[in-house]
């Protein structure tokens, strides 16, 4: 049954991509950058609705969305699936995402990404990638765009753990921005490495903004990682791995 529902989902998914390419992307090309987000997010809303209808996957939000900062911020989230790359765009537009530069070459999907000024990074050149993040990320924040990063750097399946990069914290401190930590269990329904979707509830926890001004990067980094890991332990159905004294799994 899950396979059949997943097939139905992907049929609708392709139809929505085609509709976006035909109806939304051309209009966005002539709109100011910040105006493009509302239109492109129609697609993200549609995907979330279709996911619920076709696969029986619901979304449960923990935390107060009204507590999000008025100005641009840095959002740091764990990364388990494709789901969060879509849903998190809805939390605080305009928002640009830090992503692999290869994603911009995907037909339609990559074209639409280019319209909202993401920050593409070349992972094969870490030092150059960090410099680009600091420069472009600070510029986006200054111009009123929130920045979304996945500090694990790659998708990490439920029940596994990977140390967080400090780059998001460094960016927030450089730009004088607050950090909003986010935790979710999307990989329990939207399986990474598999096309099959499982019915259930994706729970997302949104934390209170964390100030960065006048603080040590290591302290902020530890607070963010501990908050996300703590919430994952609360909202996940898959047990979290134990940590050793150094904080690693």
């Amino acid at each position: 049954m899950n396979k059949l529902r997943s097939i139905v989902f992907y049929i609708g998914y392709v139809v929505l991509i085609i509709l976006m390419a035909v109806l939304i992307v051309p209009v966005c090309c002539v709109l100011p950058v910040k105006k493009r987000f509302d239109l492109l997010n129609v697609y993200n809303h549609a995907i979330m609705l279709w996911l619920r209808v076709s696969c029986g996957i619901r979304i449960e939000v923990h935390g107060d969305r009204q507590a999000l900062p008025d100005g641009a911020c840095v959002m740091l989230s764990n990364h388990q699936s494709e789901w969060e790359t879509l849903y998190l765009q809805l939390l605080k537009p305009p928002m640009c995402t830090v992503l692999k530069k290869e994603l911009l070459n995907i037909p339609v999907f990559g074209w639409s990404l280019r319209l909202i000024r993401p920050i593409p990074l070349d992972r094969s050149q870490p030092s150059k990638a960090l410099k680009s993040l600091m420069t472009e990320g600070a510029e986006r924040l200054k111009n009123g765009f929130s920045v979304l990063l996945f500090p694990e750097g790659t998708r990490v399946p439920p029940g596994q753990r990977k140390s967080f990069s400090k780059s998001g914290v460094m960016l927030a401190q450089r730009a004088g921005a607050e950090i909003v930590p986010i935790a979710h269990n999307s990989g329990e329904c939207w399986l990474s490495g598999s096309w099959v979707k499982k019915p259930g509830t994706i729970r997302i926890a949104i934390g209170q903004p964390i100030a960065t001004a006048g603080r040590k990067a290591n302290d902020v980094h530890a607070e963010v990682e501990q908050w996300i890991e703590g919430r994952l332990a609360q909202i996940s159905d898959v047990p979290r791995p134990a940590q050793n004294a150094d904080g690693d799994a």
Side-chain angles (χ1 to χ4, degrees):
M1 178 60 73
N2 289 346
K3 289 184 178 180
L4 177 60
R5 297 179 78 169
S6 298
I7 291 172
V8 172
F9 167 77
Y10 276 110
I11 291 173
Y13 187 82
V14 171
V15 170
L16 287 170
I17 289 177
I18 293 172
L19 289 175
M20 181 179 71
V22 174
L23 302 176
I24 296 179
V25 172
V27 177
C28 286
C29 289
V30 300
L31 291 176
V33 175
K34 290 187 178 180
K35 294 293 185 180
R36 297 171 185 172
F37 287 85
D38 291 338
L39 194 54
L40 288 171
N41 274 339
V42 170
Y43 166 77
N44 292 329
H45 279 293
I47 290 294
M48 294 302 117
L49 176 60
W50 183 236
L51 188 64
R52 177 172 180 170
V53 171
S54 62
C55 296
I57 297 176
R58 291 170 169 76
I59 299 169
E60 184 179 282
V61 180
H62 298 250
D64 184 7
R65 290 184 61 170
Q66 300 302 317
L68 291 172
D70 293 331
C73 63
V74 175
M75 290 191 169
L76 299 181
S77 169
N78 65 302
H79 196 13
Q80 293 186 353
S81 73
E82 185 183 344
W83 175 86
E84 54 268 22
T85 65
L86 302 171
Y87 182 83
L88 296 183
Q89 295 289 332
L90 303 173
L91 291 184
K92 201 178 186 307
M95 179 190 297
C96 64
T97 304
V98 178
L99 45 73
K100 297 182 295 185
K101 68 174 186 178
E102 293 81 5
L103 294 178
L104 299 182
N105 297 324
I106 300 175
V108 182
F109 178 75
W111 305 338
S112 62
L113 279 178
R114 289 177 186 274
L115 292 172
I116 52 178
R117 300 190 65 201
I119 303 174
L121 301 181
D122 183 354
R123 292 185 177 179
S124 66
Q125 302 183 59
S127 59
K128 183 178 179 180
L130 180 59
K131 183 177 179 180
S132 295
L133 173 60
M134 294 298 107
T135 302
E136 296 188 41
E139 182 267 335
R140 300 291 196 282
L141 289 162
K142 180 180 178 181
N143 290 316
F145 293 82
S146 291
V147 177
L148 171 63
L149 294 94
F150 301 109
E152 291 160 308
T154 188
R155 295 176 189 175
V156 180
Q160 297 184 30
R161 181 179 170 86
K162 186 175 184 295
S163 296
F164 284 19
S165 164
K166 296 179 183 177
S167 58
V169 172
M170 294 167 60
L171 171 61
Q173 289 191 311
R174 176 169 180 166
E178 293 181 303
I179 292 173
V180 175
I182 296 171
H184 59 83
N185 68 326
S186 69
E188 295 171 20
C189 296
W190 189 307
L191 307 181
S192 181
S194 172
W195 59 274
V196 177
K197 308 289 181 282
K198 293 175 59 177
T201 301
I202 293 178
R203 305 178 189 91
I204 176 171
I206 304 171
Q208 293 289 322
I210 296 174
T212 61
R215 301 182 60 189
K216 294 181 179 180
N218 285 344
D219 293 340
V220 178
H221 174 263
E223 181 178 350
V224 170
E225 189 165 7
Q226 289 169 11
W227 188 94
I228 292 176
E229 183 61 32
R231 291 304 182 277
L232 282 173
Q234 295 174 0
I235 66 178
S236 300
D237 293 327
V238 177
R240 299 300 300 160
Q243 293 177 257
N244 61 31
D246 297 323
D248 297 323

